[in-house]
Amino acid sequence: MKSVVIRKHGGPEVLSYEEIPDPVPEKGDVLVKVNYCAVNHLDIWVRNGIAGKTVSFPHILGCDISGTLLEGFGTFKRGDKVVIYPAFDSNIPRVSFGIIGGFGRYKGGYAEIISVPKKNIIKKPNYFSDQEAASINISYLTSWNMIEKSRCKKDDIILIWGANSGVGSAAILLAKAKGLKVITIASDKNKIQFAKKIGADFVIDRNTQDVTAEVLKITNQTGVDVVIDHVGAKTWPISLEVLKVKGKMIACGTTTGGEAMVNIRSFYSKEAQIIGAYLGSKTQLTSLHRFMKLKKIKPVIDSIFELKDARAAHEKMEKSNQFGKILLQVAS
Ligand SMILES: NC(=O)c1ccc[n+]([C@@H]2O[C@H](COP(=O)([O-])OP(=O)(O)OC[C@H]3O[C@@H](n4cnc5c(N)ncnc54)[C@H](OP(=O)(O)O)[C@@H]3O)[C@@H](O)[C@H]2O)c1
C-alpha cells in the first residue's frame, strides 16, 4: 500500500512517501481503508520525537481518520463508512491512554490501510462528508471535552487562544453554539478576520495589543469564567491572570513549551482551578456528532493535500498558516 512513513525523528524531510506491505490485523483489530486523515499538532510532536516517548520505526503518523471498512464484524458491514476513535488502552504508568498514530504501538492514517481495534470503530454520521468526519476526532473532540469539563453556562465568558488553530477554531464554533461569549486571540489581520467570521465576539491581536489589559477591559476588570489553553508555556501566565474568581483554565497543549512561570498567589487567592484535558471519550465523540448536527455545525477545513504531499502539509502547520483543519486525501 501507499503510505508516508518516518524511519527516524526529525523535520518534515523525514516524511517519506513509500510503497510498504499492507498491515496484518492483530486479534480484536479490523482493517479500514483510509479516506481522509487530518493533520494534527500531535503528528509534529511524534515526527520530531519527545524524550522518553517511543515509537517503533518505520512508524506511520495520523490519528484523525475517516475510512471504509474492509471487513464486516458485529453490526458493521464491509463497505460501511466509518470514523476511528483515536484512543487505545495503554499500560504506560500515569498516562490515561495511547493515541493511534501517536506514540505507542498503533500505526496511523498516513497510509491506504490501517489496522485498528474493532471497539474504536464508529459509523460515520451521514451529516458529515468524509473530509469533515476526519476533522473531528482530535481537535473537535478535545475542545468539546474541555468545554464540558469547564461546566460553563450560557452567557459565561470564555477566552480561547489561537483562533486559527485546529483546537482554537473548533472551540470557538462549539462555545458559540453553547451560548457562550467568546474572546479569542489571533496574530494578524487575516486571522482576526477568520476569527470574526467563525463567530468570535471579541478578537485580540496578540502582536499589537496587551492581551491581559484587553481581556480585563472587555470584562470590566472581572476576568473570564473559562480559558481554553492549548498553547502552554507562553500563555499560561496570562491565562491564569485573566481568570475571574473561581474561574477555570482548561489546558490541553504545550505548543510553546511545557514549563511555565505562573503567579501562584494570584491563582489561589481567587480560588481558580486548572483542569487537564486529554482527548475525550468515545461516548463524547458520538454525543459531539449529535450536537454538531443539531446545531448545524460543520468543521472548518483549511486545505486538503494529497498523501504524497504530507511534507507540505506539515510545513504549512509549522508556519501556522492554517485557518482550521489541514487534511490529507489518502484514497484516490
Ligand atoms: N491534550 C489533547 O488531547 C490534545 C488534543 C489536540 C491538540 N492538543 C495540543 O493542542 C495544541 C494545538 O493543537 P492544534 O492541532 O490545534 O495546533 P495548530 O493548529 O498547529 O495551532 C497552533 C496554534 O498555537 C498558536 N500559537 C503559537 N505560538 C503562540 C504564542 N506564542 N502565543 C499565542 N498563541 C500561539 C498559533 O497561533 P498563531 O497562528 O497566531 O501564531 C496557532 O493558533 C498542540 O500543542 C497539540 O498537541 C492536545
Side-chain angles (χ1 to χ4, degrees), residues 201-318:
D201 298 287
F202 304 93
V203 189
I204 299 169
D205 182 342
R206 68 180 169 88
N207 280 336
T208 59
Q209 292 179 291
D210 176 334
V211 174
T212 305
E214 288 302 315
V215 172
L216 294 179
K217 196 157 93 190
I218 292 164
T219 59
N220 290 325
Q221 305 303 314
T222 309
V224 297
D225 299 277
V226 179
V227 178
I228 297 290
D229 194 313
H230 53 91
V231 179
K234 291 239 170 92
T235 51
W236 268 51
I238 301 174
S239 296
L240 289 175
E241 191 55 37
V242 300
L243 278 180
K244 73 192 253 189
V245 169
K246 297 193 194 298
K248 294 177 188 138
M249 176 178 98
I250 323 290
C252 80
T254 53
T255 304
T256 58
E259 288 174 23
M261 289 279 283
V262 297
N263 184 336
I264 298 170
R265 188 172 291 121
S266 144
F267 163 69
Y268 69 66
S269 58
K270 58 188 170 193
E271 300 194 292
Q273 291 179 50
I274 302 175
I275 300 173
Y278 193 30
L279 200 63
S281 67
K282 189 178 170 194
T283 309
Q284 281 176 304
L285 181 53
T286 51
S287 69
L288 172 60
H289 285 153
R290 284 195 298 274
F291 179 79
M292 290 178 75
K293 182 177 174 197
L294 182 74
K295 297 288 181 175
K296 299 188 171 48
I297 303 171
K298 296 282 191 162
V300 186
I301 295 176
D302 170 89
S303 47
I304 302 178
F305 289 78
E306 287 182 39
L307 178 62
K308 67 179 172 52
D309 297 324
R311 268 186 209 182
H314 274 223
E315 282 161 1
K316 181 166 198 182
M317 177 170 267
E318 284 184 302

Side-chain angles (χ1 to χ4, degrees), residues 60-99:
I60 302 174
L61 306 173
C63 46
D64 214 351
I65 299 158
S66 71
T68 306
L69 277 184
L70 289 176
E71 49 191 311
F73 66 93
T75 56
F76 290 98
K77 298 183 304 298
R78 178 186 162 88
D80 279 352
K81 291 280 186 84
V82 296
V83 295
I84 300 171
Y85 173 63
F88 64 87
D89 297 339
S90 150
N91 52 10
I92 303 172
R94 301 185 306 284
V95 175
S96 304
F97 44 73
I99 294 185

Side-chain angles (χ1 to χ4, degrees), residues 33-77:
K33 178 167 95 60
V34 177
N35 294 328
Y36 288 87
C37 182
V39 176
N40 284 277
H41 217 95
L42 174 66
D43 307 359
I44 294 173
W45 296 126
V46 180
R47 195 203 66 209
N48 283 337
I50 293 181
K53 302 229 176 205
T54 55
V55 293
S56 66
F57 293 120
H59 187 56
I60 302 174
L61 306 173
C63 46
D64 214 351
I65 299 158
S66 71
T68 306
L69 277 184
L70 289 176
E71 49 191 311
F73 66 93
T75 56
F76 290 98
K77 298 183 304 298

